[in-house]
Amino acid sequence: IGNMHWAMGVIDFRNKGFRYYDSMLSSPHPNFVPFLRKYVSDEHKAKKGKELAGIDDWKLIPTSPPQQKNTWDCGVFTCTFADFFCSERDFNFGQENMEDLRLRIAATIVRGTF
């Protein structure tokens, strides 16, 4: 976001909507849902040759992600949002866990096990 901040958008096919996870801001840019809706629609049409039924009804699904208490941990929060979301785990972490999570991310990269 603005070349300075990380956040995560999710296209939620199970619940037919879009999710926004941001450790600093409570809501996405106004173009977030229209942009992702168009992306999904265009991809579906390109791959399946037809419109995706009901895509115009897909909305922003409310989220309440943990919030950072500084200006530099957004990348760690966002990587952890992705990890926990894909693992279907509760977001039971916060600012106090950043040092350990940063080390875990670094170890994962070094081991090449991501």
Side-chain angles (χ1 to χ4, degrees):
I1 299 172
N3 296 323
M4 298 175 68
H5 179 64
W6 291 28
M8 182 177 85
V10 173
I11 300 167
D12 188 337
F13 284 95
R14 284 185 196 161
N15 296 296
K16 296 184 179 177
F18 307 100
R19 296 178 186 270
Y20 181 72
Y21 295 98
D22 191 323
S23 59
M24 288 185 83
L25 305 172
S26 60
S27 61
H29 186 279
N31 196 35
F32 176 76
V33 169
F35 179 83
L36 287 181
R37 189 181 289 134
K38 181 167 177 19
Y39 171 77
V40 171
S41 181
D42 290 350
E43 284 294 307
H44 189 274
K45 191 169 186 176
K47 302 288 191 287
K48 304 285 187 176
K50 61 182 180 178
E51 299 290 331
L52 178 59
I55 188 68
D56 290 334
D57 297 328
W58 289 29
K59 307 286 185 222
L60 183 65
I61 299 169
T63 62
S64 297
Q67 298 294 289
Q68 67 188 81
K69 295 179 179 155
N70 59 34
T71 58
W72 57 85
D73 280 329
C74 58
V76 179
F77 273 90
T78 302
C79 289
T80 306
F81 292 157
D83 180 27
F84 279 44
F85 183 85
C86 291
S87 303
E88 297 183 354
R89 294 174 13 206
D90 292 333
F91 288 10
N92 59 353
F93 61 91
Q95 186 68 54
E96 66 278 3
N97 305 112
M98 290 300 105
E99 185 176 337
D100 289 340
L101 291 169
R102 185 178 284 107
L103 290 171
R104 184 178 301 168
I105 291 167
T108 299
I109 292 168
V110 169
R111 285 192 311 257
T113 58
F114 45 90

